[in-house]
């Protein structure tokens, strides 16, 4: 149902229908009433998309995330608060946020290509950056405004914000070394995510700084979810001698790791030191309490939104063009899981 | 950068540029090379949106969810697997799924109105249905294809799929009554969500069927997250005598409830019977194991996608028009949290 169909149905000129719909004064009240009634009955909706194409803007920003089976249960608890932060900024500027869901088995680069072709977004926030990420080349070549949540080895003039993975690794290793640990394992992503490389680099440098040799058998790649944490614990238990400490790169792993340790009669803090990644609602309710790192995902979302606005030509006046390259700090939250002593709660 | 701009820049007719971009044979190779090079350099992307408007379809379906601060941490673990299921069907039909994120402080009805006006979706899946939901009236009036995840008292000819909240309530109450419980509390949503009414109705009917009187002080409304579960436990502990059993309507509450009970030295199963709602990755790793209800969210997503296709005129041939009204069953998973005995694990 277009405005043309509506005009034809009413046998009134398109111009008159348009003026009636837009509340102009030069349409007589009866005609306006007829037009509005017919528009409602026939399901006419003003065509914002056509309007936007002429104006060159859709006032919609896409946030691309990957909804794979692996991350299906886990990803939401990270992204929802980020979305909330992004929206709190966009709302002031009458921008809408849509999550672009790239499914399992779909190549993220060709998905992005298709979405860009649909032209319903003015700009993009991409996440889950790979070490070499063809999406970045694609967006740069086509001059499409975007911000990356996550660094990449793919170069170019674009804004990115990333969590401080090397800082987390360095702080965790140094803390554990200070408690006397020498066999410190890490649970890393099983995929080609760039964050895995950054985390591993930080870990190696921190080992060296603390005079500890690097042992590749202590690198335990796993999926970033509860099941992955369970698998990490299985492999820890299989090692002889067992590592005395483990650092996780994903917040969802901790729950599965705890479970497997308990099954083996081991307790975090007493029998093995555990440092988790991000403090989450789950981790806050674990017993013994988990040593992990705090970040405000809502604030991260706010910063992402501001970086996006700085990349959009339409907002040049309010947000001057700027390339943001920001490593977001995370604060250690000291728990009971990595220190000897008597944890409260379940023990 | 439109095809018009590109033609002007190259000083070639729009028709020639279009034929070059579409790989037609009647353009000489040098001209084609020039056009493709300029298109890439200047960031020209074929305007699918304009094309779609003419064809009347965008091949994009919107899934509206609310990203409020309250549900920010919790909602993701439910919706991500549902999205995965929806996409597995849509992919076969070359439909893309976008999540439409209605933010905090935003009225869901006016948000929907705006999104529909933008015209980038062919159809909508709405969630978090309210007891009286103006979005349903709006979509019906405008003849926009949609499916509701959740029932509503708002009537009309539309498809909906909902979880079996009354079945869960009835099964849980009957099971607990069979174990001898008479003071059975329930943790319900603090908001006007329709599911809260359905759950409460099922609870009351099951009490009556088991000869147990209804006591309003056993209804404990709370937010559907860990913190809400913690609050429910606080209110249980404050009652004199304490209820001997609790049924939760939200899967995220269980973690917070467990935490508060442990702080009070109480253990689910031994000191109070706990039945959770949906089996989730979190609940699977709780100790003692949680009695809860299993549902395949991916299958739910598949059914939602099929109902959506049945409502889309473009798919009439493959998915005949049909109004789906489906209550999705959930299967009891018997755990250690609601029975006396010796739970394994932490006890």
């Amino acid at each position: 149902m277009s405005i043309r169909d509506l005009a034809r149905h009413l046998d009134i000129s398109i111009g008159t229908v348009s003026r009636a719909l837009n509340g102009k004064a030069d349409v007589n009240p009866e005609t306006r009433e007829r037009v509005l009634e017919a528009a409602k009955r026939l399901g006419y909706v003003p065509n914002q998309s056509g309007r936007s194409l002429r104006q060159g803007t859709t006032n919609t920003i896409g946030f691309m995330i990957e909804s794979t089976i692996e991350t299906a249960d886990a990803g939401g608890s990270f992204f929802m608060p980020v979305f909330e932060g992004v929206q709190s900024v966009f709302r002031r500027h009458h921008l809408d946020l849509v999550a672009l869901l790239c499914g399992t088995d779909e190549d993220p680069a060709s998905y992005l290509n298709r979405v860009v072709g649909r032209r319903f977004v003015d700009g993009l926030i991409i996440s889950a950056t790979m070490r070499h990420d063809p999406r970045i080349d694609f967006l740069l070549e086509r001059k499409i405004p975007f911000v990356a949540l996550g660094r990449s080895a793919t170069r170019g003039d674009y804004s990115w914000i990333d969590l401080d993975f090397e800082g987390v690794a360095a702080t965790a290793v140094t803390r554990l070394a200070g408690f006397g640990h020498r066999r410190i394992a890490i649970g890393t992503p099983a995929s080609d995510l760039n964050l895995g490389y950054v985390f591993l680099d930080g870990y190696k440098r921190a080992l060296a700084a603390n005079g500890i040799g690097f042992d590749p058998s202590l690198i335990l790649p796993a999926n970033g979810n509860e099941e992955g944490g369970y698998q990490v614990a299985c492999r820890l238990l299989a090692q002889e001698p067992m590592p005395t400490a483990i650092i996780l790169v994903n917040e969802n792993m901790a729950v599965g790791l705890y479970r497997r340790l308990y099954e083996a009669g081991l307790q975090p803090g007493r029998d093995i030191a555990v440092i988790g990644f991000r403090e989450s609602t789950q981790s806050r309710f674990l017993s013994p309490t988990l040593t992990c790192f705090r970040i405000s995902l809502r604030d991260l979302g706010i910063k992402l939104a501001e970086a996006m606005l700085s990349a959009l030509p339409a907002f040049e006046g309010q947000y001057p063009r700027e390339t943001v390259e920001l490593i977001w700090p995370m604060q250690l939250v000291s728990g009971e899981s990595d220190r000897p002593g008597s944890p409260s709660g379940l023990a």
Side-chain angles (χ1 to χ4, degrees), chain A:
Chain A
M1 171 60 54
S2 69
I3 193 165
R4 185 181 300 275
D5 300 331
L6 191 59
R8 196 176 296 147
H9 174 84
L10 290 163
D11 199 17
I12 304 181
S13 77
I14 293 178
T16 303
V17 171
S18 170
R19 288 198 303 281
L21 291 170
N22 289 310
K24 303 281 185 193
D26 60 350
V27 181
N28 83 53
E30 268 172 52
T31 306
R32 173 174 313 143
E33 193 52 40
R34 266 186 70 206
V35 170
L36 295 179
E37 187 278 327
K40 187 170 171 179
R41 183 165 40 83
L42 300 171
Y44 171 77
V45 179
N47 189 340
Q48 297 281 1
S49 169
R51 205 178 290 167
S52 299
L53 279 173
R54 288 191 297 279
Q55 293 172 354
T57 58
T58 63
N59 291 319
T60 303
I61 303 296
F63 196 133
M64 179 176 166
I65 63 174
E66 286 157 56
S67 69
T68 65
I69 288 175
E70 180 196 319
T71 61
D73 287 317
S77 65
F78 179 82
F79 283 110
M80 297 293 272
V82 175
F83 291 161
E84 229 291 308
V86 172
Q87 280 177 310
S88 71
V89 176
F90 282 0
R91 203 167 307 128
R92 295 202 304 272
H93 299 290
H94 308 290
L95 290 174
D96 280 325
L97 180 69
V98 300
L100 304 172
L101 307 159
C102 175
T104 320
D105 301 333
E106 178 139 37
D107 173 48
S110 50
Y111 174 85
L112 186 74
N113 197 324
R114 196 169 67 242
V115 165
V116 165
R118 292 209 200 284
R119 288 244 173 142
F120 62 79
V121 295
D122 286 341
L124 283 156
I125 300 171
I126 61 172
S127 63
T129 45
M130 307 304 281
R131 186 146 180 84
H132 298 283
D133 203 316
R135 297 175 301 173
I136 293 171
D137 290 327
F138 174 84
L139 293 168
L140 286 171
E141 273 176 13
R142 278 157 193 79
K143 302 187 197 308
I144 293 162
F146 76 100
V147 176
L149 173 53
R151 276 160 282 181
S152 168
T154 302
R155 302 257 162 236
D157 179 25
Y158 61 93
S159 288
W160 55 259
I161 300 177
D162 203 357
L163 308 191
D164 185 13
F165 292 97
E166 60 273 72
V168 164
T171 302
V173 168
T174 304
R175 179 175 164 96
L176 292 168
F179 294 153
H181 293 279
R182 311 296 290 172
R183 282 182 56 73
I184 303 168
I186 56 170
T188 59
S191 63
D192 197 42
L193 283 173
N194 190 64
L195 68 89
Y197 294 88
V198 175
F199 188 68
L200 189 57
D201 282 352
Y203 166 77
K204 286 181 184 171
R205 273 202 302 275
L207 286 181
N210 286 280
I212 303 173
F214 172 66
D215 176 355
S217 72
L218 297 178
I219 311 300
L220 308 173
N223 290 339
N225 53 20
E226 283 83 353
E227 186 56 34
Y230 193 90
Q231 296 302 331
V232 165
C234 290
R235 277 181 280 157
L236 283 175
L237 293 165
Q239 290 204 20
E240 186 60 57
M242 193 175 84
T244 62
I246 172 81
I247 308 169
L248 302 172
V249 75
N250 177 290
E251 59 269 23
N252 302 296
M253 287 177 163
V255 178
L257 183 103
Y258 266 52
R259 175 78 187 181
R260 182 70 189 92
L261 293 177
Y262 278 120
E263 286 175 3
L266 301 181
Q267 187 176 289
R270 189 188 64 195
D271 304 306
I272 182 169
V274 178
I275 298 188
F277 183 63
R278 183 174 65 85
E279 183 189 43
S280 67
T281 45
Q282 289 187 46
S283 72
R284 270 198 293 277
F285 290 96
L286 286 173
S287 297
T289 57
L290 182 69
T291 294
C292 53
F293 293 83
R294 184 169 296 166
I295 178 176
S296 164
L297 294 178
R298 193 168 189 276
D299 289 343
L300 175 66
I302 288 171
K303 191 70 198 167
L304 276 171
E306 290 170 353
M308 185 75 252
L309 288 162
S310 291
L312 290 170
F315 290 88
E316 235 162 15
Q318 291 160 278
Y319 294 85
R321 178 88 182 100
E322 178 196 6
T323 302
V324 177
E325 298 186 338
L326 181 63
I327 295 176
W328 196 276
M330 296 179 72
Q331 279 183 316
L332 183 86
V333 179
S334 184
E336 304 156 333
S337 64
D338 67 340
R339 282 173 302 173
S342 172
S344 68
L346 303 181

